Amino acid sequence: MAKDPRYIRNFCIIAHIDHGKSTLADRFIDKAKLVSTRGPMQQQLLDNMDIERERGITIKSQAVVIPYVANDGHEYELNLVDTPGHVDFSYEVSRAINSCEGALLLIDAAQGVEAQTLANMYMAMEFNLEILPVINKIDLPSADIDSCQHQIDHDLGLDPDLTSLVSAKTGQGVDELFEAIVKHIPPPKTDRAAPLKALIFDSHYDAYRGVIVHFRLFDGMIREGDQILLWFSKAVYTVEEVGVFKLGLVRTGTLGGGDVGYFIAGIKTIRDIRVGDTVTNAAKPCTKALPGFKEVKPVVFSSIYPIDSNDYEELQEAIDRLKLNDASLVYEKTSSAALGFGFRCGFLGMLHLEVVQERIEREFDLSIVFTSPSVRYIVHMKDGDTITIDNPLEYPESIKVDYAEEPYIQANIITPTTYVGNIISLCMEKRGIQTTMNYLDSKRVEMIYEMPLAEVLFEFYDRLKSVSRGYASFDYSVIGYRKTDLVRLDILVNGEPVDALSQLVFKDNSQSRGRQVCERLKDEIPRQQFKIAIQGAVGGTIVSRETVNAYRKDVIAKCYGGDISRKRKLLEKQKEGKKRMKMVGNVEIPQQAFLAVLKTKEDNN
């Protein structure tokens, strides 16, 4: 039987990256005794991917039901959704927030309020969530609780008296936090007699049972055997199983308004499910849909090719299977003269790209190469047409182009005052325009910049961390398109363009980017019997060049003494041979050369 809504609390944990969300979720699960205490305790219980555990990050939001007996004697059902912290996965956070009535805003006692702390708090406020500030890591020697409470009051405008002090690592203060959740987060407002109205906030794929849909019920009831209607697709399914998340799927047979759980209804692929869709009863539907989520739009594009062309079918299967559990991955088929057949993919950001790359290599044991990441440009032609491109090979001849536009972001950077000069220099180098600079207190500054998204893709995040010694925090959102001076940089090897190395770059940066690529290729391309020219070209203009020297046989070694004309004759003959060889010679570019081009300056040093 579904729980009385008065004793249900739906909440999520939101914070900046690495502030201890998953560790706090582990402590909640410990206290509820959802895992056996025998055997070694596994960390990050809700993170079920190897990459999540190794990197210490959350990529997908996860839900779990925690039973808790409060001081008032009643047993409460706490529905927790653990969310990612990295800016690339803020879409996952918005979906989790939409399913809850309250949020725990986690703040690191040593780091204080950071950029994504603010961004996630504003997102929670948009959905009218009750926000409980929680200061975590109070056991650290560097913890500054007074400063954090001042920031909660001054920067966030929240009530510092409601703040809970916890150490997710040791479990200190977790019992008091449970009581605060029960006391301050409101129960769900629901009418279980009304027609079924539920919101799909996630889904995952099971090879044996099809799609398992994660959803939050707002009104009505759902039972096994019910006929349900998906609002947008108008598809009708029969519910086979209903249940809740308790580190696994626990079948309950029925769920009511206010509950968070899952259902299985014989849905074959994740493409049939739209996250943000409304689920209702087919026989007695609700009158209007719930407000869903905005469609997720990829911002970074790159092509994936198998290193061995025989692995193409395996790569296609791997991407299809990844797509089942990652609805934000967008892809289409493509081909390259240098690398063969592959896929053009769209990602939410550079971390998302890295995660997909690692998952393909690990989970499917494939060796792959990515082309240089690019953003989506809008190109206005002289004949009045407008085209949208993300692949450098699609860029039209410059004589036909009137002007191009590139996506801009608003970057929020919070940093200690010591590093302000370094960060201003970095942002100016990346074509950033400063719009605001707020002194949050005597030690910390918030800087807001508008800058091209393309500049953030290459080494920006790494360099921001190095110039601020890791203390600066960064969050961004795409704000629209602006005019830019765009050119296509082609890389020629022995006079032949290599399509997989082409890049769309800002005109003033083309020379430095071309020089960078040529230098890296020079180190990777093996020497031949003839000289190899590696050139960066914009249109018909060569902007950079490096030369791989030839192997040289000493043809005059056998000449001892004698006339100089004999030596000259031998050298001329050798020169003619090398010239002929260069004309017919074919330069093989090794796979590691493509990988080297993608590395940042720091990686190569």
Side-chain angles (χ1 to χ4, degrees), residues 409-413 447-451 460 474-477:
I409 59 164
Q410 179 175 293
N412 289 45
I413 300 167
M447 294 190 282
I448 298 176
Y449 273 87
E450 290 176 358
M451 62 173 72
F460 178 80
F474 173 65
D475 181 72
Y476 72 85
S477 55

Side-chain angles (χ1 to χ4, degrees), residues 339-359:
L339 295 168
F341 291 101
F343 297 91
R344 187 76 182 164
C345 300
F347 305 94
L348 301 179
M350 287 302 284
L351 179 68
H352 188 207
L353 185 151
E354 285 176 38
V355 165
V356 169
Q357 183 178 359
E358 280 197 42
R359 288 187 71 186

Side-chain angles (χ1 to χ4, degrees), residues 41 51 79 98 104 106 117 123 141 151 187 269 297 320 327 371 373 381 383-384 392 438 445 453 507 529 572 584:
M41 171 67 185
I51 301 171
N79 291 315
N98 213 351
L104 302 185
L106 213 57
T117 318
M123 202 188 293
Q151 289 170 23
T269 70
K297 289 189 175 69
D320 279 339
T371 60
M381 311 295 285
D383 61 7
N438 298 323
V445 182
L453 176 62
K507 189 175 182 179
Q529 294 285 356
E572 285 297 324
V584 297

Side-chain angles (χ1 to χ4, degrees), residues 135-416:
I135 297 176
N136 186 26
K137 307 189 186 181
I138 58 170
D139 57 314
L140 290 180
S142 55
D144 188 348
I145 294 164
D146 292 341
S147 169
C148 286
Q149 290 198 320
H150 172 73
Q151 289 170 23
I152 288 166
D153 184 17
H154 186 262
D155 300 353
L156 306 180
L158 300 175
D159 185 354
D161 296 337
L162 288 178
T163 304
S164 300
L165 304 179
V166 301
S167 167
K169 193 174 180 182
T170 64
Q172 181 186 344
V174 172
D175 290 329
E176 291 81 356
L177 182 54
F178 269 132
E179 283 300 317
I181 291 166
V182 167
K183 186 176 174 186
H184 296 295
I185 291 178
K189 293 188 179 83
T190 180
D191 178 2
R192 290 186 172 176
L196 171 66
K197 190 189 278 188
L199 180 76
I200 297 172
F201 68 88
D202 205 355
S203 58
H204 73 273
Y205 183 75
D206 184 284
Y208 302 103
R209 309 168 84 182
V211 179
I212 296 169
V213 180
H214 306 203
F215 72 128
R216 154 75 200 269
L217 281 90
F218 284 88
D219 288 325
M221 303 283 287
I222 189 168
R223 298 176 184 84
E224 290 173 7
D226 282 357
Q227 292 264 314
I228 56 162
L229 169 74
L230 300 182
W231 192 274
F232 285 103
S233 63
K234 301 299 178 201
V236 176
Y237 296 97
T238 303
V239 178
E240 296 167 6
E241 184 178 319
V242 172
V244 295
F245 303 101
K246 284 191 179 176
L247 293 187
L249 304 179
V250 178
R251 191 172 184 169
T252 59
T254 178
L255 287 174
D259 283 326
V260 174
Y262 73 91
F263 70 81
I264 301 170
I267 301 167
K268 297 288 184 289
T269 70
I270 278 199
R271 289 189 193 91
D272 299 337
I273 287 288
R274 181 171 153 178
V275 168
D277 202 349
T278 300
V279 180
T280 188
N281 195 296
K284 190 184 165 190
C286 56
T287 51
K288 66 172 187 174
L290 290 158
F293 311 107
K294 61 182 188 294
E295 277 290 306
V296 61
K297 289 189 175 69
V299 294
V300 176
F301 298 85
S302 179
S303 298
I304 310 176
Y305 297 93
I307 283 181
D308 181 350
S309 56
N310 296 329
D311 290 341
Y312 176 74
E313 275 79 17
E314 284 88 337
L315 178 61
Q316 180 165 13
E317 188 187 331
I319 293 176
D320 279 339
R321 284 173 62 186
L322 265 191
K323 174 77 178 171
L324 290 172
N325 281 327
D326 185 354
S328 52
L329 179 64
V330 179
Y331 67 94
E332 62 186 23
K333 292 179 180 176
T334 187
S335 64
S336 152
L339 295 168
F341 291 101
F343 297 91
R344 187 76 182 164
C345 300
F347 305 94
L348 301 179
M350 287 302 284
L351 179 68
H352 188 207
L353 185 151
E354 285 176 38
V355 165
V356 169
Q357 183 178 359
E358 280 197 42
R359 288 187 71 186
I360 290 173
E361 287 174 347
R362 287 175 182 209
E363 295 174 23
F364 305 100
D365 197 23
L366 287 171
S367 298
I368 53 173
V369 60
F370 274 70
T371 60
S372 196
S374 172
V375 296
R376 182 168 275 165
Y377 296 95
I378 298 172
V379 181
H380 298 265
M381 311 295 285
K382 285 181 179 169
D383 61 7
D385 281 357
T386 301
I387 57 171
T388 305
I389 59 166
D390 58 65
N391 192 336
L393 303 179
E394 295 168 3
Y395 191 69
E397 293 174 45
S398 54
I399 199 164
K400 296 179 181 176
V401 175
D402 186 11
Y403 66 95
E405 292 180 314
E406 65 178 334
Y408 262 67
I409 59 164
Q410 179 175 293
N412 289 45
I413 300 167
I414 295 180
T415 176

